[in-house]
Amino acid sequence: MPLNAEELFSERALGFKPSAIREQLKLIDTPEIISLSGGTPDDQFFPIDRVIEASTFALRQYGKKALQYGSTEGIKKLRVLLMDRMEKEGVNSIDLDNVIISTASQQGLSLLAQIFVNPGDTVIVEEPSYIGALQACASMQAKFCTVALDKDGMRMDALEDRLKELQKAHIRPKFIYTIPNFQNPVGVTMTLERRKKLIELANKYDLLIVEDDPYGEVRFEGEPIPSLLALGGKDHVVALRTFSKISFPGLRLGWIVARKDIMDKIVLGKQAADLCSPSLTQYIAYEFISRGWLDEYVAVVRREYLKKKNAMISALEQYFPAGASWTNPQGGLFVWVKAPEHIDTTAMFPEAISAKVAYVTGIAFYPHRDDNCHMRLSFSPVDPEHITEGVHRLGDLLKSKI
Ligand SMILES: Cc1ncc(COP(=O)(O)O)c(C=O)c1O
């Protein structure tokens, strides 16, 4: 008799849902389709020779240590380097005990969900929000309380309304999850005023904020805005950062900043999850950063992504029908498009694939799966010429439906 694994799966695992993006990516793995869907960095800019040099040096210099298990917290000199980097951004309330290397941000999200969320607990999220964060919380059987976004990021009036409602119902949310810079999927950035208000509300209602910021350094226009961690300190903020978008996701490295009592639990959770992040890539990252190559690489990314973003916005203006609208981000990877009234972007997806262009359906980013009029377009992995062509194809498809 073959084993029936269904009978053995935990309730948690039975509730797992596939990521719509990964499912959609499977359909578009053919070169004729212009894919504006993946949130991946453009690998043509990866400085392979420098990575080879940093890797060779790391292996020669740290050989056995680089190939060995490391401490759960991560390699000390890398953590010190990251702490110094954050200090330059105005984060000065932390020391080494507050910084841990994670297996990129997704692990940070999954550890936080694990240490805070009991089945049925409430987590406050922006609507729409990053799928991976929703998945991490949903896998711990969280309930989502959603807060609308506008061009200035999470709406603080809506958040305050939600907090009052929750308080009335005697529900204490476990944390507020926000992506303040170039939000995934919407591309908007929370203003300084709203960041201050968020810190104020976190203090007033005694709440924890999870600040997920993979894109802040990928700013190609405008002035940087201080992080929630810099503004509010670590008492009410846990910060997640990653190398994935400022360098290479293949490193699978990120870092978490948290106060000591929370960090102690994160360390225990990480021990259970993977013991430690890869020593080898940590040494490579250390060499890459300390030679100044990360900063040089980020400068290239900013310059090139601005060209891509401009190509996308110009093409949207030229080819999309009246009634469509979109965000115009100052950084990051994504433009969020609202289709003209009555066009269902989920139903249209197979037609887009037939027209040889792909996007991510807006519904994927809604915890309650109730939006069918948006699509996320990513400009990062495609060159400007193909961005223009892809948007042209999509525009024609939309016009054919009006
Ligand atoms: C907002 C956000 N957080 C976290 C991640 C996870 O990235 P990684 O695990 O590669 O650091 C992503 C990836 O796209 C993201 O957009």
Side-chain angles (χ1 to χ4, degrees), residues 39 104-106 109 130 177 179 184 212 214-215 242 244-245 249 252:
S105 276
Q106 191 61 37
L109 290 166
Y130 167 55
Y177 171 71
I179 308 156
N184 182 3
D212 185 11
Y215 305 107
T242 176
S244 292
K245 306 296 155 75
R252 298 315 293 139

PDB file of all heavy atoms in Angstrom, residues 39 104-106 109 130 177 179 184 212 214-215 242 244-245 249 252, ligand 1:
ATOM      1  N   GLY A  39      10.538  39.474 -10.125  1.00  0.00           N
ATOM      2  CA  GLY A  39      11.190  40.546  -9.347  1.00  0.00           C
ATOM      3  C   GLY A  39      12.666  40.244  -9.149  1.00  0.00           C
ATOM      4  O   GLY A  39      13.173  40.348  -8.040  1.00  0.00           O
ATOM      5  N   ALA A 104      18.996  35.228   3.773  1.00  0.00           N
ATOM      6  CA  ALA A 104      18.232  36.271   3.069  1.00  0.00           C
ATOM      7  C   ALA A 104      16.950  36.645   3.841  1.00  0.00           C
ATOM      8  O   ALA A 104      16.652  36.093   4.896  1.00  0.00           O
ATOM      9  CB  ALA A 104      17.967  35.906   1.624  1.00  0.00           C
ATOM     10  N   SER A 105      16.246  37.627   3.290  1.00  0.00           N
ATOM     11  CA  SER A 105      15.108  38.199   4.035  1.00  0.00           C
ATOM     12  C   SER A 105      13.965  37.233   4.223  1.00  0.00           C
ATOM     13  O   SER A 105      13.211  37.322   5.184  1.00  0.00           O
ATOM     14  CB  SER A 105      14.546  39.391   3.279  1.00  0.00           C
ATOM     15  OG  SER A 105      15.265  40.505   3.575  1.00  0.00           O
ATOM     16  N   GLN A 106      13.830  36.327   3.261  1.00  0.00           N
ATOM     17  CA  GLN A 106      12.697  35.406   3.377  1.00  0.00           C
ATOM     18  C   GLN A 106      12.825  34.591   4.665  1.00  0.00           C
ATOM     19  O   GLN A 106      11.832  34.305   5.326  1.00  0.00           O
ATOM     20  CB  GLN A 106      12.623  34.502   2.141  1.00  0.00           C
ATOM     21  CG  GLN A 106      11.348  33.707   2.043  1.00  0.00           C
ATOM     22  CD  GLN A 106      10.095  34.575   1.941  1.00  0.00           C
ATOM     23  OE1 GLN A 106      10.104  35.630   1.300  1.00  0.00           O
ATOM     24  NE2 GLN A 106       9.021  34.169   2.575  1.00  0.00           N
ATOM     25  N   LEU A 109      11.610  36.702   7.500  1.00  0.00           N
ATOM     26  CA  LEU A 109      10.142  36.731   7.579  1.00  0.00           C
ATOM     27  C   LEU A 109       9.622  35.449   8.206  1.00  0.00           C
ATOM     28  O   LEU A 109       8.735  35.470   9.061  1.00  0.00           O
ATOM     29  CB  LEU A 109       9.552  36.898   6.175  1.00  0.00           C
ATOM     30  CG  LEU A 109       9.775  38.274   5.551  1.00  0.00           C
ATOM     31  CD1 LEU A 109       9.487  38.255   4.062  1.00  0.00           C
ATOM     32  CD2 LEU A 109       8.894  39.300   6.257  1.00  0.00           C
ATOM     33  N   TYR A 130       3.763  42.010  -0.147  1.00  0.00           N
ATOM     34  CA  TYR A 130       4.686  41.013  -0.710  1.00  0.00           C
ATOM     35  C   TYR A 130       4.186  39.586  -0.429  1.00  0.00           C
ATOM     36  O   TYR A 130       3.941  39.231   0.729  1.00  0.00           O
ATOM     37  CB  TYR A 130       6.078  41.246  -0.112  1.00  0.00           C
ATOM     38  CG  TYR A 130       7.050  40.125  -0.341  1.00  0.00           C
ATOM     39  CD1 TYR A 130       7.333  39.664  -1.627  1.00  0.00           C
ATOM     40  CD2 TYR A 130       7.703  39.510   0.725  1.00  0.00           C
ATOM     41  CE1 TYR A 130       8.230  38.628  -1.836  1.00  0.00           C
ATOM     42  CE2 TYR A 130       8.603  38.480   0.521  1.00  0.00           C
ATOM     43  CZ  TYR A 130       8.856  38.041  -0.768  1.00  0.00           C
ATOM     44  OH  TYR A 130       9.738  37.008  -0.961  1.00  0.00           O
ATOM     45  N   TYR A 177       3.507  44.720   9.514  1.00  0.00           N
ATOM     46  CA  TYR A 177       4.523  44.441   8.498  1.00  0.00           C
ATOM     47  C   TYR A 177       4.457  45.525   7.419  1.00  0.00           C
ATOM     48  O   TYR A 177       3.399  45.759   6.830  1.00  0.00           O
ATOM     49  CB  TYR A 177       4.268  43.063   7.874  1.00  0.00           C
ATOM     50  CG  TYR A 177       5.132  42.793   6.665  1.00  0.00           C
ATOM     51  CD1 TYR A 177       6.505  42.568   6.801  1.00  0.00           C
ATOM     52  CD2 TYR A 177       4.597  42.785   5.378  1.00  0.00           C
ATOM     53  CE1 TYR A 177       7.303  42.325   5.696  1.00  0.00           C
ATOM     54  CE2 TYR A 177       5.394  42.539   4.272  1.00  0.00           C
ATOM     55  CZ  TYR A 177       6.751  42.312   4.439  1.00  0.00           C
ATOM     56  OH  TYR A 177       7.539  42.084   3.336  1.00  0.00           O
ATOM     57  N   ILE A 179       6.714  47.531   4.035  1.00  0.00           N
ATOM     58  CA  ILE A 179       7.852  47.659   3.110  1.00  0.00           C
ATOM     59  C   ILE A 179       7.887  49.147   2.759  1.00  0.00           C
ATOM     60  O   ILE A 179       7.208  49.588   1.818  1.00  0.00           O
ATOM     61  CB  ILE A 179       7.625  46.812   1.835  1.00  0.00           C
ATOM     62  CG1 ILE A 179       7.263  45.374   2.210  1.00  0.00           C
ATOM     63  CG2 ILE A 179       8.847  46.852   0.908  1.00  0.00           C
ATOM     64  CD1 ILE A 179       6.487  44.643   1.133  1.00  0.00           C
ATOM     65  N   ASN A 184       6.806  46.439  -2.639  1.00  0.00           N
ATOM     66  CA  ASN A 184       6.470  45.326  -3.523  1.00  0.00           C
ATOM     67  C   ASN A 184       5.049  44.896  -3.186  1.00  0.00           C
ATOM     68  O   ASN A 184       4.811  44.481  -2.046  1.00  0.00           O
ATOM     69  CB  ASN A 184       7.439  44.157  -3.275  1.00  0.00           C
ATOM     70  CG  ASN A 184       7.182  42.977  -4.181  1.00  0.00           C
ATOM     71  OD1 ASN A 184       6.329  43.015  -5.047  1.00  0.00           O
ATOM     72  ND2 ASN A 184       7.941  41.909  -3.966  1.00  0.00           N
ATOM     73  N   ASP A 212      10.605  45.783   6.441  1.00  0.00           N
ATOM     74  CA  ASP A 212      11.264  44.936   5.442  1.00  0.00           C
ATOM     75  C   ASP A 212      11.750  45.867   4.326  1.00  0.00           C
ATOM     76  O   ASP A 212      10.936  46.472   3.627  1.00  0.00           O
ATOM     77  CB  ASP A 212      10.223  43.921   4.914  1.00  0.00           C
ATOM     78  CG  ASP A 212      10.834  42.909   3.967  1.00  0.00           C
ATOM     79  OD1 ASP A 212      12.072  42.835   3.870  1.00  0.00           O
ATOM     80  OD2 ASP A 212      10.058  42.167   3.321  1.00  0.00           O
ATOM     81  N   PRO A 214      14.169  45.631   1.304  1.00  0.00           N
ATOM     82  CA  PRO A 214      15.150  45.128   0.335  1.00  0.00           C
ATOM     83  C   PRO A 214      15.545  46.167  -0.716  1.00  0.00           C
ATOM     84  O   PRO A 214      16.564  46.016  -1.374  1.00  0.00           O
ATOM     85  CB  PRO A 214      14.412  43.976  -0.362  1.00  0.00           C
ATOM     86  CG  PRO A 214      13.054  43.905   0.227  1.00  0.00           C
ATOM     87  CD  PRO A 214      12.821  45.104   1.054  1.00  0.00           C
ATOM     88  N   TYR A 215      14.693  47.209  -0.875  1.00  0.00           N
ATOM     89  CA  TYR A 215      14.850  48.074  -2.053  1.00  0.00           C
ATOM     90  C   TYR A 215      15.370  49.479  -1.749  1.00  0.00           C
ATOM     91  O   TYR A 215      15.639  50.244  -2.675  1.00  0.00           O
ATOM     92  CB  TYR A 215      13.491  48.200  -2.775  1.00  0.00           C
ATOM     93  CG  TYR A 215      12.907  46.866  -3.142  1.00  0.00           C
ATOM     94  CD1 TYR A 215      11.809  46.330  -2.452  1.00  0.00           C
ATOM     95  CD2 TYR A 215      13.489  46.108  -4.143  1.00  0.00           C
ATOM     96  CE1 TYR A 215      11.305  45.082  -2.777  1.00  0.00           C
ATOM     97  CE2 TYR A 215      12.991  44.856  -4.466  1.00  0.00           C
ATOM     98  CZ  TYR A 215      11.902  44.354  -3.788  1.00  0.00           C
ATOM     99  OH  TYR A 215      11.418  43.117  -4.106  1.00  0.00           O
ATOM    100  N   THR A 242      18.542  42.744   3.054  1.00  0.00           N
ATOM    101  CA  THR A 242      19.005  41.611   2.239  1.00  0.00           C
ATOM    102  C   THR A 242      20.029  42.053   1.200  1.00  0.00           C
ATOM    103  O   THR A 242      20.020  43.209   0.758  1.00  0.00           O
ATOM    104  CB  THR A 242      17.798  40.944   1.527  1.00  0.00           C
ATOM    105  OG1 THR A 242      18.282  39.904   0.678  1.00  0.00           O
ATOM    106  CG2 THR A 242      16.994  41.920   0.686  1.00  0.00           C
ATOM    107  N   SER A 244      19.966  40.544  -1.648  1.00  0.00           N
ATOM    108  CA  SER A 244      19.404  40.044  -2.911  1.00  0.00           C
ATOM    109  C   SER A 244      19.213  41.108  -3.982  1.00  0.00           C
ATOM    110  O   SER A 244      19.444  40.853  -5.152  1.00  0.00           O
ATOM    111  CB  SER A 244      18.062  39.352  -2.646  1.00  0.00           C
ATOM    112  OG  SER A 244      18.280  38.172  -1.921  1.00  0.00           O
ATOM    113  N   LYS A 245      18.769  42.307  -3.593  1.00  0.00           N
ATOM    114  CA  LYS A 245      18.490  43.307  -4.617  1.00  0.00           C
ATOM    115  C   LYS A 245      19.626  44.321  -4.740  1.00  0.00           C
ATOM    116  O   LYS A 245      19.745  44.980  -5.762  1.00  0.00           O
ATOM    117  CB  LYS A 245      17.151  44.013  -4.330  1.00  0.00           C
ATOM    118  CG  LYS A 245      15.972  43.034  -4.163  1.00  0.00           C
ATOM    119  CD  LYS A 245      15.659  42.248  -5.427  1.00  0.00           C
ATOM    120  CE  LYS A 245      14.971  40.925  -5.188  1.00  0.00           C
ATOM    121  NZ  LYS A 245      13.590  40.901  -4.825  1.00  0.00           N
ATOM    122  N   PRO A 249      21.005  37.624  -5.411  1.00  0.00           N
ATOM    123  CA  PRO A 249      20.194  36.736  -4.569  1.00  0.00           C
ATOM    124  C   PRO A 249      20.824  35.364  -4.380  1.00  0.00           C
ATOM    125  O   PRO A 249      20.521  34.669  -3.410  1.00  0.00           O
ATOM    126  CB  PRO A 249      18.866  36.631  -5.326  1.00  0.00           C
ATOM    127  CG  PRO A 249      19.107  37.193  -6.685  1.00  0.00           C
ATOM    128  CD  PRO A 249      20.302  38.071  -6.615  1.00  0.00           C
ATOM    129  N   ARG A 252      22.173  34.236  -1.093  1.00  0.00           N
ATOM    130  CA  ARG A 252      21.174  33.886  -0.075  1.00  0.00           C
ATOM    131  C   ARG A 252      21.590  34.433   1.291  1.00  0.00           C
ATOM    132  O   ARG A 252      21.699  33.682   2.277  1.00  0.00           O
ATOM    133  CB  ARG A 252      20.901  32.372   0.006  1.00  0.00           C
ATOM    134  CG  ARG A 252      20.342  31.740  -1.228  1.00  0.00           C
ATOM    135  CD  ARG A 252      19.214  32.512  -1.901  1.00  0.00           C
ATOM    136  NE  ARG A 252      17.958  32.606  -1.150  1.00  0.00           N
ATOM    137  CZ  ARG A 252      17.242  33.733  -1.111  1.00  0.00           C
ATOM    138  NH1 ARG A 252      17.646  34.843  -1.720  1.00  0.00           N
ATOM    139  NH2 ARG A 252      16.109  33.755  -0.450  1.00  0.00           N
TER     140      ARG A 252
HETATM  141  C1  LIG B   1       9.547  42.895   0.092  1.00  0.00           C
HETATM  142  C2  LIG B   1      10.405  41.678  -0.008  1.00  0.00           C
HETATM  143  N1  LIG B   1      10.850  41.106   1.113  1.00  0.00           N
HETATM  144  C3  LIG B   1      11.626  40.016   1.088  1.00  0.00           C
HETATM  145  C4  LIG B   1      11.996  39.435  -0.109  1.00  0.00           C
HETATM  146  C5  LIG B   1      12.819  38.194  -0.066  1.00  0.00           C
HETATM  147  O1  LIG B   1      14.058  38.345  -0.638  1.00  0.00           O
HETATM  148  P1  LIG B   1      15.319  37.501  -0.244  1.00  0.00           P
HETATM  149  O2  LIG B   1      14.890  36.316   0.547  1.00  0.00           O
HETATM  150  O3  LIG B   1      15.953  37.131  -1.528  1.00  0.00           O
HETATM  151  O4  LIG B   1      16.170  38.412   0.572  1.00  0.00           O
HETATM  152  C6  LIG B   1      11.539  39.997  -1.315  1.00  0.00           C
HETATM  153  C7  LIG B   1      11.875  39.384  -2.610  1.00  0.00           C
HETATM  154  O5  LIG B   1      11.439  39.760  -3.662  1.00  0.00           O
HETATM  155  C8  LIG B   1      10.732  41.160  -1.259  1.00  0.00           C
HETATM  156  O6  LIG B   1      10.260  41.760  -2.349  1.00  0.00           O
END
